[in-house]
Amino acid sequence: MTNNNILVVVEDYNTGWGEEFEKIKRFLQTNNVLKRQQIEHVGSTSVVGLAAKPIIDIDIIVKLEEKRRVLEILCAMGYTHLGDLGITGREAFRLELRSDLMKHNLYLCEEGSLAVKNHLNWRNYLRSSEKVRAEYAELKKALAKRYYNDIEAYCSAKTEFITQGLAKFLPDSDLADIRKQNMK
C-alpha cells in the first residue's frame, strides 16, 4: 500500500519533534482506554540529533486480547485502518491532516511482536551510539537524494544498515524476516 511517487525529504533534527509526539500522545489519550496503553515515540524523529523525514512514528503497544478494541477506538477517533501492510503483529493507521497535529504514522503493535522489538531496539541503539547515529544520518541524506521520489527504494536501501545494527539484539531468523518485509 505504499506509493513510489512520495517525495522523500530528510531534514536535520528538529527539537520540536519530541513536543509534537507529546501533542499527538495527548490527543490519543483523550480516550480512557488509550491512557492505559504503552505509547512509544519510535523512528528517527525520536532520536535526538538524528536527521529524519518530518513524520512522527508512533507505536501503541497492546496485549493481543486488547487489539480489536483499540483498533475500533482508533477508527472512531478518525484514523483510517490500513491493515498490516505486510508486517505481522502490526496494524497501520493514517489520520487525515489536521492543523493541530503533525503528520504521523501510527502503528498498533502486539506486545512482544517483531515489529515492537525492531522499533524499540533500533531506536534505543541509535540513542546510545553517536557514531551509528551520525553514520545513519549520512546514509539517510544520501539515499533521500538518490531516491527522492521513490519511498520504497529509499526504505529498502536502508534495510541492510538497520539489520546490521539490530544483529546485536535479534536472532538471525528475526533479521531475515525484517529484511524480507522491508526489501519489497
Side-chain angles (χ1 to χ4, degrees):
M1 180 109 196
T2 58
N3 182 344
N4 283 349
N5 296 320
I6 295 174
L7 189 61
V8 179
V9 176
V10 173
E11 300 177 358
D12 287 333
Y13 180 76
N14 182 325
T15 57
W17 288 338
E19 294 168 15
E20 292 296 330
F21 162 73
E22 291 298 330
K23 190 184 302 183
I24 297 163
K25 183 177 177 180
R26 282 192 301 275
F27 166 71
L28 292 166
Q29 291 180 329
T30 59
N31 181 285
N32 286 330
V33 172
L34 293 180
K35 280 183 183 175
R36 297 188 305 266
Q37 306 304 322
Q38 181 180 350
I39 300 175
E40 293 284 342
H41 187 186
V42 296
S44 295
T45 61
S46 70
V47 180
V48 173
L50 182 59
K53 296 187 311 298
I55 302 168
I56 306 293
D57 290 322
I58 301 170
D59 283 356
I60 300 176
I61 303 168
V62 298
K63 295 183 183 325
L64 181 59
E65 61 270 14
E66 297 172 327
K67 186 175 177 180
R68 172 60 48 197
R69 183 173 182 203
V70 173
L71 188 149
E72 290 170 355
I73 288 167
L74 291 172
C75 291
M77 292 178 76
Y79 283 90
T80 301
H81 181 218
L82 305 173
D84 70 6
L85 303 179
I87 309 290
T88 303
R90 183 194 85 177
E91 300 293 325
F93 294 84
R94 177 184 62 230
L95 181 66
E96 292 307 317
L97 289 180
R98 294 173 44 134
S99 61
D100 60 329
L101 298 176
M102 186 171 168
K103 184 174 181 182
H104 58 284
N105 296 318
L106 182 65
Y107 303 106
L108 180 59
C109 300
E110 294 172 20
E111 188 177 70
S113 68
L114 179 56
V116 167
K117 293 176 193 174
N118 176 359
H119 288 171
L120 296 180
N121 281 312
W122 183 240
R123 178 198 67 190
N124 295 342
Y125 180 51
L126 289 170
R127 285 177 174 176
S128 72
S129 175
E130 186 175 335
K131 178 182 181 290
V132 174
R133 191 168 50 247
E135 289 172 359
Y136 190 47
E138 186 177 316
L139 174 66
K140 289 168 54 117
K141 287 179 177 181
L143 293 174
K145 287 179 184 174
R146 182 173 181 187
Y147 300 113
Y148 64 92
N149 67 344
D150 189 343
I151 190 72
E152 284 186 3
Y154 168 81
C155 290
S156 291
K158 296 185 310 177
T159 299
E160 193 55 39
F161 185 88
I162 293 168
T163 54
Q164 286 176 4
L166 287 172
K168 297 170 181 10
F169 310 101
L170 300 175
D172 289 344
S173 59
D174 286 351
L175 296 172
D177 285 345
I178 292 168
R179 283 185 187 98
K180 182 179 175 186
Q181 293 167 354
N182 289 306
M183 303 286 286
K184 297 176 182 177

